[in-house]
Amino acid sequence: MNSWLLLNVIDGLLFAAVAITVLYFFVFSITSLFSRHNQVSKAKTQRRFVILQSVSTILGQTYPQRLFDVVVISDHQSEMTNMHLAQYPITLLTPNFEKSSKSKSLQYAILNLPEFKIYDCVIVLDADNVVEPEFLAQVNDAYECAGTKAIQTHRMSKNRDTTAARLGSIFDEINNSIFRRGHISIGLSAAISGSGTVYDFTWFKNHIMNIRTATEDKELESILMRQHVFVDYFDHIHVYEEKTRRTHDFNSQRGRWVAAQLHTLLKNIRYLPSAVLHRQYDQIDKILQWMLIPRTILMGFILIMSLVLPFIYFSLAIKWWVAAALITFSYALATPDYVVDKNWDKDFMSAPFLILGGMFNIFRAGSIEAGHQMNFVKKSIKHIKLLR
């Protein structure tokens, strides 16, 4: 095979994968323009909630205080911090895990809830999350409107003081538009976030104990998918979170997320043939979503190929320019106006450097995850041979 043919094959295969991802983003950026929940009616029933992890603003709710409990899991915190937390009207739990993870904390909280307490829903919030006084009342209305076992609220950034924080905020809003609002507008499930998620209490209690990894949101999302539980999304219910300020932390975070996506895909890809056979479109979409090229790698590939190919073979670059234009247009549609501020031009110029730096962290995290999966396969084969 000569070098030009090899170049065309590699270029074609790479572009095919990129084109599928770009088309997916384009379609759902269009559907995100249509809102499914224009108006949420007042709920007829006031549900009882247990809120896990958060403490600060959740206590200042307009919702009746007798109808919600706050449980804070303080793992490896200082005695001074625990003394400060103990002053609040909350249930304070102080485990001392050898290796901490959010899933272990949630499991510990569920196991230590009083048996006489009866809850309808559990809300998962991170310790640094901030919510508005009407949050629980809005959640109660939305949960009744949805009529399902899981809903996702709108996570937003509460700080936009550095380039990394602003870009993180923009990327999160693009995710909200494409993977949540764009999905529910055509009847597909929204993606689960790491916090701001509301679950049916009994469902959550039965399944959180089976989580074995640190990516509990992806595992819970996988279970919801396999059980064909629709996940609704409500754009008007805001949960504010702290965005990472440093570029290094920003890139490392994306690397961990890609590793989690790869891990989730490898665990669930076997369900795709059955989903296609039984026309389970929500499940097909979710697995396809995990198969997409991660956004940082996608932009890195498009950027590199658009700049390099014109110097090698000009005509090969044209389709990459089209892909660049289409993905840029998709992101523009999915980006809300409030994040386009006076720093937009500076952040836009910094984005390529963050993307290229992020690609290194992502490939490193992906290779580590692939190594873990290979070790798991080898151990399984060895175990089978021993059984024989």
Side-chain angles (χ1 to χ4, degrees):
M1 182 180 293
N2 62 56
S3 58
W4 286 112
L5 180 59
L6 180 62
L7 174 63
N8 276 272
V9 170
I10 294 174
D11 173 71
L13 292 174
L14 185 57
F15 183 77
V18 167
I20 292 171
T21 304
V22 170
L23 185 60
Y24 186 96
F25 274 64
F26 174 72
V27 169
F28 285 105
S29 68
I30 297 293
T31 60
S32 71
L33 301 177
F34 306 96
S35 178
R36 183 169 182 261
H37 298 297
N38 293 318
Q39 188 173 0
V40 178
S41 58
K42 190 73 175 175
K44 297 178 181 178
T45 304
Q46 287 186 317
R47 287 160 182 79
R48 186 167 179 82
F49 297 96
V50 58
I51 299 97
L52 304 183
Q53 296 286 69
S54 183
V55 59
S56 56
T57 55
I58 199 68
L59 297 173
Q61 294 292 300
T62 59
Y63 201 70
Q65 193 166 357
R66 71 181 189 281
L67 293 178
F68 69 92
D69 293 324
V70 179
V71 178
V72 175
I73 307 96
S74 179
D75 181 25
H76 288 97
Q77 297 296 323
S78 67
E79 186 176 345
M80 185 64 68
T81 299
N82 290 336
M83 288 177 62
H84 176 72
L85 289 171
Q87 298 176 13
Y88 290 98
I90 63 172
T91 299
L92 178 62
L93 303 175
T94 56
N96 191 24
F97 301 121
E98 182 177 344
K99 188 175 181 181
S100 302
S101 70
K102 187 175 177 180
S103 58
K104 288 182 181 178
S105 295
L106 295 175
Q107 291 166 355
Y108 189 87
I110 291 296
L111 289 173
N112 285 275
L113 289 177
E115 293 186 6
F116 64 89
K117 291 277 190 177
I118 299 175
Y119 299 104
D120 298 300
C121 303
V122 57
I123 303 176
V124 178
L125 294 173
D126 288 339
D128 64 344
N129 287 161
V130 173
V131 297
E132 295 164 344
E134 300 81 14
F135 174 73
L136 284 180
Q138 291 175 334
V139 166
N140 187 62
D141 295 341
Y143 192 82
E144 184 169 293
C145 173
T148 186
K149 295 185 183 205
I151 66 172
Q152 177 63 50
T153 60
H154 183 175
R155 289 206 312 178
M156 303 176 68
S157 173
K158 67 180 180 182
N159 65 298
R160 305 185 67 250
D161 49 355
T162 67
T163 297
R166 287 190 293 271
L167 286 175
S169 174
I170 292 168
F171 290 168
D172 280 356
E173 287 294 5
I174 290 173
N175 285 343
N176 285 329
S177 296
I178 291 175
F179 296 113
R180 297 181 182 97
R181 188 170 62 249
H183 273 65
I184 67 166
S185 66
I186 59 172
L188 294 172
S189 277
I192 291 290
S193 294
S195 66
T197 316
V198 186
Y199 301 95
D200 173 82
F201 178 78
T202 302
W203 185 93
F204 185 83
K205 182 178 179 181
N206 289 338
H207 293 94
I208 190 61
M209 306 311 296
N210 298 321
I211 305 302
R212 295 291 178 264
T213 69
T215 56
E216 81 295 329
D217 54 330
K218 291 294 184 186
E219 286 207 54
L220 291 172
E221 187 173 31
S222 300
I223 297 170
L224 289 165
M225 175 200 71
R226 293 195 296 270
Q227 295 180 355
H228 313 298
V229 175
F230 180 76
V231 180
D232 212 337
Y233 172 70
F234 291 84
D235 205 48
H236 70 287
I237 308 177
H238 299 157
V239 173
Y240 300 93
E241 63 169 347
E242 189 83 17
K243 303 303 297 181
T244 183
R245 290 177 165 84
R246 299 194 307 164
T247 300
H248 177 268
D249 295 336
F250 177 89
N251 289 332
S252 298
Q253 187 182 61
R254 263 93 196 134
R256 292 193 300 272
W257 288 350
V258 170
Q261 179 178 326
L262 176 59
H263 176 79
T264 306
L265 172 62
L266 293 174
K267 288 188 66 175
N268 290 277
I269 188 67
R270 65 183 185 272
Y271 301 111
L272 182 58
S274 175
V276 173
L277 184 63
H278 295 93
R279 299 182 182 179
Q280 294 163 347
Y281 300 112
D282 213 0
Q283 192 170 5
I284 295 170
D285 169 75
K286 190 62 63 177
I287 296 173
L288 176 61
Q289 190 179 118
W290 293 327
M291 294 173 66
L292 297 176
I293 300 175
R295 184 174 49 236
T296 304
I297 296 178
L298 174 73
M299 295 303 296
F301 277 154
I302 292 176
L303 179 64
I304 292 170
M305 300 299 279
S306 296
L307 294 176
V308 172
L309 278 180
F311 298 99
I312 300 175
Y313 202 80
F314 185 84
S315 63
L316 291 179
I318 297 175
K319 62 182 180 296
W320 289 96
W321 295 342
V322 173
L326 192 58
I327 195 63
T328 302
F329 178 70
S330 301
Y331 287 164
L333 285 180
T335 302
D337 293 339
Y338 85 89
V339 298
V340 184
D341 55 18
K342 61 182 181 180
N343 298 301
W344 177 262
D345 292 340
K346 181 177 72 173
D347 295 337
F348 186 80
M349 295 301 294
S350 302
F353 300 100
L354 277 175
I355 289 170
L356 294 176
M359 285 183 70
F360 172 76
N361 287 279
I362 287 172
F363 283 128
R364 183 177 61 180
S367 64
I368 292 173
E369 177 60 30
H372 290 330
Q373 293 296 327
M374 286 301 297
N375 288 334
F376 174 77
V377 171
K378 289 177 181 178
K379 288 179 181 178
S380 299
I381 294 173
K382 185 177 180 180
H383 180 68
I384 292 171
K385 288 180 177 179
L386 287 174
L387 289 177
R388 288 179 179 175

